[in-house]
Amino acid sequence: MSSSNTVCALATPPGISGLAVIRLSGEESFSIADKCFRGKVLLSEAPSHTIHYGKIYDGDVLLDTVTASIFRAPHSYTGENIVEIGCHGGLYTTSNIISTLLNNGAQIAKPGEFTQRAFLNGKLDLTQVEAVADIIHASSVQGSHVAARQLLGGFKNKVDSIRKELLSICALLELELDFSHEDIEFVDKNHLTTLIGNSINTCKNILDSYTSSSILRDGYRVGLVGYPNAGKSTLFNALLDKKRSIVSPIAGTTRDYIEDSLSLNGIWIQIYDTAGIRQDSMDIIEIEGIEFTRQLLETSNLILIVNDISISPLHSVSLYKQLSLLYPEAAFCYIQNKIDSVSQSLVSISDIDSLPVSSLQSIGIKELKIFIEKLASANVDRISDVLLNTRHTAILSEIIKSLENANCSLNIHFSNEYVSLDVRKAIYLLGEITGEVMNEEILNTIFSQFCIGK
Ligand code: GDP
């Protein structure tokens, strides 16, 4: 993507709104804007960080009264000359102004092009670019807060300090290489192992925040599972307080899975109503649904086993036990559903967390929501400034592997040359996190997630 041309796009969502912002970025921004903007000053002569009231014309036709904000390179979001035109919202005005800018020499910006220019001009590193995307797509209050801290350089600073530590380790290793024939040991090997171990631990600590990050980004995932007719769909609707899933006395109604979300104390909760698990099912569609259920449970943070207490309080215990063995990473709760239809007092089951509920009569739903919220909150790191994604985790795992190799070589008294190679590889990989080492394919994937105007 070349940054030599001047590009423009609507930076606010299209549609009817009080105000809209059209962004123009590139060397010719001011001269292009001057061809259609009439105000008290020429924008090309206006100082940076000033706002000007005026009118936008297409030839002699008045399009709108606007404000033009001026940002001169390199003190702008993209690092280029920027004019931000604040106009009235609505489809016609904004598209007419954009057409006029295009007729006067601008080109339409591609999705993410403004942020890509900011990256190419060194205004943002890749972790900050990702933070911009996370802020735009934030699905929780805490997620947007962490992304905001990452945008300020939270992750970048962490990467920089690991890099600094590794560079000083390399310096020690390589200094000794220069004197290798003199058999001088400048640094104790145990000390080097400790230093490398410290960097490994820092990387591992960052990696540990992955679950927290994915909850902040995609929500806390709750799967409802149980035998057909246990009342999963009724519970799903009760939790969401709306009729979303089909409730039917005929077993096997939820063929696939249905998902919806709610916010509990600012945390996004993603709930899945799954196909009933009936192992002897001969119904192909239902078996297909069950396969979905399995895939879904693999990524669930909490699995609610919905039991029909009117059959027996222990009816789904074996299902609970099987699934908790299969998905050890997830939290589990045994929901004793349909308590309105039984008179016996509840049987508590040893070693199993259970909650009494009547999905039909909304009894115990409030308590269940509090239970979910507590678990979700416990998983969310509110003070972190890193919103880890799968790209980061893959690179961090490789860095840890390289550093563990380095320590292994030290322990078996390999030459410093070998040790240093692995440490240097880790430094190179840190550059992939921040984008100093460019990978065209990865950059394209990241920027393709942006919308036009960002
Ligand atoms: P699913 O197959 O597990 O999704 O079960 P459904 O939600 O479709 O419910 C099956 C049947 O159980 C329906 O007739 C529901 O009205 C009924 N049901 C669900 N929850 C309750 C409950 O808490 N109490 C009573 N009495 N019936 C319920």
Side-chain angles (χ1 to χ4, degrees):
M1 197 181 283
S2 145
S3 61
S4 56
N5 50 352
T6 296
V7 289
C8 73
L10 182 65
T12 43
I16 295 168
S17 63
L19 292 174
V21 173
I22 294 164
R23 219 183 219 167
L24 190 61
S25 178
E27 216 176 319
E28 304 301 323
S29 289
F30 303 139
S31 56
I32 291 173
D34 272 335
K35 288 182 191 160
C36 25
F37 176 87
R38 290 183 212 161
K40 282 191 180 153
V41 294
L42 272 177
L43 298 178
S44 39
E45 289 169 6
S48 188
H49 295 72
T50 53
I51 302 179
H52 305 273
Y53 173 77
K55 298 180 180 73
I56 289 271
Y57 283 87
D58 176 12
D60 291 332
V61 181
L62 173 69
L63 298 182
D64 199 6
T65 49
V66 301
T67 55
S69 307
I70 301 296
F71 304 91
R72 291 190 175 272
H75 305 293
S76 72
Y77 180 69
T78 56
E80 303 172 334
N81 288 336
I82 284 188
V83 180
E84 280 180 5
I85 298 170
C87 57
H88 292 99
L91 287 177
Y92 296 109
T93 310
T94 51
S95 59
N96 284 344
I97 296 175
I98 289 173
S99 302
T100 308
L101 294 171
L102 297 179
N103 290 339
N104 283 294
Q107 291 181 18
I108 198 79
K110 299 185 186 79
E113 184 160 3
F114 293 105
T115 307
Q116 184 155 17
R117 287 176 177 223
F119 169 71
L120 292 173
N121 291 324
K123 301 293 286 186
L124 300 173
D125 81 336
L126 214 45
T127 64
Q128 291 169 309
V129 167
E130 287 166 317
V132 172
D134 283 330
I135 287 176
I136 297 172
H137 300 292
S139 59
S140 69
V141 180
Q142 283 92 347
S144 71
H145 291 172
V146 179
R149 289 194 288 270
Q150 182 164 312
L151 178 59
L152 274 187
F155 195 5
K156 180 177 176 285
N157 295 342
K158 280 199 165 80
V159 170
D160 284 346
S161 83
I162 302 172
R163 190 202 322 263
K164 242 189 223 159
E165 284 165 19
L166 295 181
L167 279 171
S168 64
I169 293 170
C170 268
L172 291 172
L173 287 165
E174 289 161 17
L175 180 70
E176 209 169 292
L177 275 179
D178 293 340
F179 297 90
S180 53
H181 55 284
E182 292 175 30
D183 210 20
I184 304 170
E185 192 177 281
F186 283 90
V187 197
D188 175 38
K189 298 274 181 214
N190 288 335
H191 181 56
L192 279 172
T193 312
T194 311
L195 288 179
I196 295 176
N198 290 344
S199 297
I200 293 176
N201 287 340
T202 313
C203 293
K204 282 187 175 165
N205 283 341
I206 302 175
L207 262 187
D208 280 347
S209 66
Y210 181 67
T211 307
S212 171
S213 296
S214 62
I215 291 171
L216 288 175
R217 181 180 292 108
D218 307 321
Y220 185 74
R221 296 164 67 87
V222 180
L224 305 187
V225 201
Y227 295 124
N229 259 347
K232 297 177 293 299
S233 304
T234 314
L235 178 59
F236 181 82
N237 292 338
L239 282 169
L240 293 160
D241 209 11
K242 60 183 173 188
K243 271 217 166 83
R244 174 74 171 78
S245 195
I246 305 161
V247 174
S248 151
I250 304 156
T253 325
T254 312
R255 297 296 168 119
D256 203 324
Y257 68 83
I258 299 169
E259 65 176 282
D260 211 326
S261 51
L262 72 152
S263 173
L264 293 180
N265 197 16
I267 303 179
W268 204 241
I269 311 286
Q270 201 68 32
I271 304 186
Y272 300 88
D273 178 17
T274 66
I277 292 193
R278 191 173 58 190
Q279 277 151 353
D280 60 350
S281 174
M282 293 305 288
D283 183 331
I284 296 295
I285 307 169
E286 199 169 272
I287 288 171
E288 175 78 358
I290 289 169
E291 186 46 42
F292 278 128
T293 302
R294 290 201 187 103
Q295 286 171 15
L296 202 136
L297 295 183
E298 266 167 29
T299 55
S300 290
N301 302 105
L302 168 65
I303 297 174
L304 299 180
I305 307 287
V306 185
N307 179 54
D308 182 346
I309 196 171
S310 67
I311 297 177
S312 153
L314 305 175
H315 182 55
S316 313
V317 167
S318 69
L319 180 66
Y320 178 103
K321 291 196 166 154
Q322 282 174 47
L323 292 180
S324 50
L325 281 177
L326 271 176
Y327 307 104
E329 302 278 309
F332 276 81
C333 186
Y334 192 82
I335 304 296
Q336 293 286 25
N337 191 34
K338 308 196 187 180
I339 49 157
D340 58 287
S341 61
V342 289
S343 51
Q344 85 247 41
S345 56
L346 282 175
V347 181
S348 72
I349 312 161
S350 61
D351 301 331
I352 290 184
D353 262 341
S354 64
L355 279 178
V357 157
S358 166
S359 307
L360 202 61
Q361 295 186 8
S362 272
I363 301 168
I365 299 299
K366 199 170 128 210
E367 289 73 9
L368 177 56
K369 283 187 182 175
I370 294 172
F371 174 80
I372 297 173
E373 193 239 302
K374 274 195 182 145
L375 279 182
S377 300
N379 273 285
V380 170
D381 183 355
R382 287 160 201 271
I383 52 159
S384 168
D385 40 16
V386 176
L387 212 49
L388 221 59
N389 59 32
T390 48
R391 186 183 82 81
H392 306 140
T393 49
I395 303 175
L396 280 168
S397 306
E398 263 194 84
I399 292 174
I400 292 171
K401 223 191 281 164
S402 292
L403 294 178
E404 283 173 345
N405 282 345
N407 259 353
C408 205
S409 303
L410 269 175
N411 288 339
I412 50 176
H413 304 290
F414 266 16
S415 147
N416 280 6
E417 222 173 324
Y418 290 106
V419 184
S420 164
L421 271 180
D422 279 320
V423 180
R424 290 239 167 246
K425 184 175 170 198
I427 295 171
Y428 176 86
L429 289 166
L430 285 172
E432 278 193 3
I433 295 183
T434 53
E436 276 146 76
V437 179
M438 296 244 225
N439 176 328
E440 197 71 28
E441 205 179 318
I442 289 175
L443 289 183
N444 289 338
T445 312
I446 292 173
F447 287 106
S448 67
Q449 292 162 9
F450 280 83
C451 44
I452 289 184
K454 196 57 224 169

